[in-house]
């Protein structure tokens, strides 16, 4: 179940020569969902905050086609919360049908130390509350 859903607006240049949404653009859709999710749970993606998260791995499965005039949204939810990392499950839906699934592992990161960092308890608690855990 997804609590976090962001509607997507497709631009003319998002479409490839076959009339499908370009695969590289789909990764941008996932980034939009992640950025909005992080803002909601209080993880800063701006340079003013020392703690942030960085993508260390993702895998993507394309399960359906998406076309220019489709009504699309990106759905994001927590899959796993660890000490220094978290895993997100995301889907892009077109006209109510899941067309792409992405699992992303992100590591906590300290900008000042330039190293991985433990996810602060206050952020973990906000994530748990948001996810209903």
């Amino acid at each position: 179940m997804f609590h976090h859903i962001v509607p997507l607006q497709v631009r003319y240049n998002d479409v490839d020569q076959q009339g499908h949404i370009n695969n590289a653009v789909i990764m941008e859709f996932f980034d939009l969902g992640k950025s909005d999710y992080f803002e909601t749970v209080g993880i800063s993606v701006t340079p003013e905050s020392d703690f942030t998260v960085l993508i260390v791995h993702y895998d993507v499965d394309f399960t359906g086609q998406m076309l220019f005039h489709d009504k699309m949204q990106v759905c994001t939810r927590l899959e796993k919360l660890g000490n220094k990392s978290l895993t997100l499950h995301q889907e892009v839906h077109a006209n109510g049908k899941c067309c792409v699934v992405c699992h992303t592992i992100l590591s906590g990161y300290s900008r000042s130390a330039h190293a991985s960092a433990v996810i602060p308890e206050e952020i973990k608690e906000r994530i748990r509350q948001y996810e209903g855990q």
Side-chain angles (χ1 to χ4, degrees), residues 98-113:
C98 178
C99 293
V100 187
V101 177
C102 181
H103 297 271
T104 305
I105 301 172
L106 300 108
S107 174
Y109 183 78
S110 166
R111 287 186 172 100
S112 61

Side-chain angles (χ1 to χ4, degrees), residues 38-83:
F38 294 147
E39 184 177 318
T40 300
V41 299
I43 297 175
S44 177
V45 294
T46 62
E48 293 80 30
S49 174
D50 184 54
F51 179 81
T52 192
V53 290
L54 300 176
I55 296 172
V56 295
H57 176 80
Y58 64 83
D59 62 76
V60 180
D61 292 308
F62 298 89
T63 59
Q65 63 180 339
M66 295 176 291
L67 304 171
F68 182 71
H69 292 290
D70 289 347
K71 182 179 178 187
M72 292 191 284
Q73 57 189 14
V74 60
C75 308
T76 304
R77 70 173 167 80
L78 179 73
E79 188 168 276
K80 181 180 176 185
L81 182 59
N83 189 42

Side-chain angles (χ1 to χ4, degrees), residues 116-131:
S116 66
V118 171
I119 300 170
E121 277 305 316
E122 64 201 38
I123 291 175
K124 286 182 183 179
E125 186 56 33
R126 284 195 300 259
I127 292 170
R128 288 185 193 109
Q129 286 178 358
Y130 182 73
E131 293 286 343

